[in-house]
Amino acid sequence: MSGKAPGEPGEREFAAWLTERIGRYAGREVGDDEDLSGWGLDSVALLSLCGEIEEQFGPLFDPADVWTHPTVRDLAHYLAMRHGMRRNSGRVRAAFVFTGQGAQHPRMTAGLHRELTAYRRHLAVVDEAVAPYLGRSVAGLILDGDERVHQTALTQPALFAVGYALAMTLVEEEGVRPVAVLGHGIGELAAAVVAGALALDDAARLVCCRGAFMQYLPSGGGMMATCASPFEAADAAAGEPEVTIGAVNAARATVLSGPVAGLERVRERLAAVGIASTFLQVQHAFQSPLMQPMTPRFEAAARHVTGGRPELPYYSTVYGREYDEPLTTAYWTAQITTPVRFADAARRMLAQQGPSHVVEIGPRAVLTPFLRRIAGARGPDCLAACRGPESDAVHLAGVLSKLDAGPLAES
């Protein structure tokens, strides 16, 4: 590989160019996934590398970003994203990222529901779709301050309803057209509806069956967020065969899933080496093999659901990349037991789509900090459609202003 800069680079071209340049500085071959600390570069070499990047590609990079993206693969993702953003400079290109389980809280989106006709209308639509399967009003559950919103059978349809209603308010009422969608766990179902791969009624059936069957699994499972890399988390869990990685949200943001007793022991091991962790507000070991007993029932209940191909770029957290195959029952069944590869999917979406903005669609900002870490200092503007219980029409108007959209429908 020569040192010539690629004419219209993508991730592969950036990776090849970086490998050649870093190898020259290090005096040896370097691997795509080798951490910065293994390159053997001093501060002068690092600054020289940053200078070469700017000389070849323009102002895509800041020296501080080296520490945020410490491998050739990470750097290549980031440079491809920045190059795409520069190419689309001046154009609003918004990607939607749908929040998953753990973001729920009583009276979520109550301010928006009180003040926005559009949001009320779309929540009513999804409420009607969910009611036959849930046996009750999901809108009432969301808005009445009911603590049962934390019960799995109710949490999942509630989060789906909020995600759908928020997205439709932005898309149909305010003209925000996403260039790509990505969902974290249960958020993938709302993302699939927005992408045109699932009908609303089919998604309502899937989400209600999913939550109900999980609710009645044996108790004793949980999930634990850690400030560990996937390698560190797996190493700490090595003596606990039922504790597995449930999600990788960023470079040092790994979620473990498994029996609570096993997670407690892993937590002690991590604390002993100075790595913090905290239990999530969930009742089961989601995204783990402990979900396997409910998958036959789910697959049977969902066998009549026919998923189509996404009509816009859909980034799968099952595969960690863009997925353009039909989102069938088989996909949704596999999604239940596999880790959420959020960091991989987000990196690829940012690099390949070059969005100017990323909007988190959910009842509060959970993924936005991870997105900012993945994107780096010069990445897209990461916004939360709803920051939490205090969010109202004024907050959403501010988001829309940044997206050059609106005006908001009046109540």
Side-chain angles (χ1 to χ4, degrees):
M1 171 70 187
S2 72
K4 181 180 178 182
E8 188 62 32
E11 291 176 56
R12 289 183 180 179
E13 290 77 15
F14 274 116
W17 187 88
L18 286 166
T19 298
E20 189 273 337
R21 287 305 168 104
I22 293 169
R24 183 186 301 174
Y25 282 115
R28 60 178 178 81
E29 287 190 12
V30 297
D32 281 0
D33 292 322
E34 186 177 349
D35 195 86
L36 171 65
S37 60
W39 293 350
L41 308 185
D42 59 22
S43 58
V44 174
L46 287 174
L47 288 173
S48 297
L49 174 64
C50 293
E52 285 201 67
I53 291 171
E54 181 157 351
E55 180 181 350
Q56 294 283 14
F57 307 111
L60 302 182
F61 203 65
D62 186 274
D65 291 327
V66 170
W67 304 102
T68 309
H69 308 280
T71 70
V72 167
R73 181 173 296 179
D74 289 338
L75 281 173
H77 280 311
Y78 181 68
L79 291 175
M81 176 197 71
R82 290 289 302 152
H83 180 76
M85 287 181 63
R86 190 177 65 176
R87 190 170 62 245
N88 294 303
S89 179
R91 295 168 54 201
V92 171
R93 291 173 52 80
F96 284 4
V97 177
F98 292 80
T99 314
Q101 196 156 345
Q104 74 279 356
H105 57 84
R107 293 187 55 75
M108 50 186 174
T109 68
L112 290 173
H113 187 269
R114 181 179 62 252
E115 298 177 7
L116 291 180
T117 299
Y119 183 74
R120 287 198 296 271
R121 180 166 59 252
H122 291 296
L123 189 61
V125 169
V126 69
D127 191 19
E128 185 177 353
V130 167
Y133 307 107
L134 193 62
R136 60 165 295 166
S137 167
V138 72
L141 170 74
I142 291 167
L143 301 168
D144 291 346
D146 194 330
E147 289 291 337
R148 288 178 297 175
V149 75
H150 295 300
Q151 293 180 4
T152 301
L154 301 177
T155 300
Q156 296 190 9
L159 287 171
F160 169 76
V162 166
Y164 172 85
L166 279 172
M168 288 300 102
T169 299
L170 294 176
V171 171
E172 293 190 1
E173 307 297 332
E174 310 302 337
V176 181
R177 306 293 174 182
V179 297
V181 295
L182 164 64
H184 192 292
I186 193 68
E188 280 209 83
L189 284 155
V193 176
V194 172
L198 274 182
L200 176 58
D201 286 346
D202 285 341
R205 179 186 180 91
L206 288 175
V207 75
C208 290
C209 289
R210 190 182 192 274
F213 297 158
M214 288 181 178
Q215 176 75 44
Y216 295 105
L217 286 173
S219 60
M223 301 184 80
M224 186 173 71
T226 77
C227 295
S229 69
F231 174 81
E232 290 169 331
D235 187 54
E240 306 290 341
E242 291 189 306
V243 174
T244 59
I245 290 177
V248 180
N249 292 326
R252 297 190 67 83
T254 305
V255 178
L256 291 171
S257 186
V260 171
L263 291 172
E264 289 280 12
R265 290 188 289 271
V266 174
R267 187 181 192 184
E268 292 175 4
R269 291 178 204 136
L270 290 172
V273 293
I275 296 176
S277 60
T278 184
F279 278 89
L280 301 181
Q281 192 168 15
V282 298
Q283 297 177 323
H284 295 90
F286 301 116
Q287 311 301 149
S288 82
L290 293 181
M291 294 287 102
Q292 189 63 47
M294 55 80 59
T295 58
R297 294 179 65 198
F298 174 82
E299 192 167 19
R303 65 182 180 276
H304 299 303
V305 171
T306 303
R309 292 178 183 273
E311 296 171 5
L312 54 85
Y314 181 93
Y315 283 80
S316 162
T317 51
V318 174
Y319 295 103
R321 58 171 172 79
E322 185 178 358
Y323 188 79
D324 60 5
E325 298 298 315
L327 292 173
T328 61
T329 301
Y331 177 89
W332 299 115
T333 303
Q335 192 238 18
I336 290 170
T337 57
T338 55
V340 177
R341 296 178 60 185
F342 178 77
D344 287 340
R347 286 193 188 101
R348 284 176 168 81
M349 182 185 73
L350 295 172
Q352 293 168 3
Q353 302 302 324
S356 61
H357 298 75
V358 180
V359 184
E360 180 173 355
I361 308 291
R364 60 187 175 96
V366 173
L367 302 175
T368 299
F370 299 133
L371 290 163
R372 288 176 178 150
R373 284 165 59 183
I374 292 167
R378 297 188 181 184
D381 194 358
C382 298
L383 311 168
C386 185
R387 290 179 303 191
E390 74 285 356
S391 282
D392 54 17
V394 174
H395 168 72
L396 190 56
V399 172
L400 290 167
S401 177
K402 292 182 179 181
L403 297 174
D404 195 25
L408 278 167
E410 294 186 4
S411 58

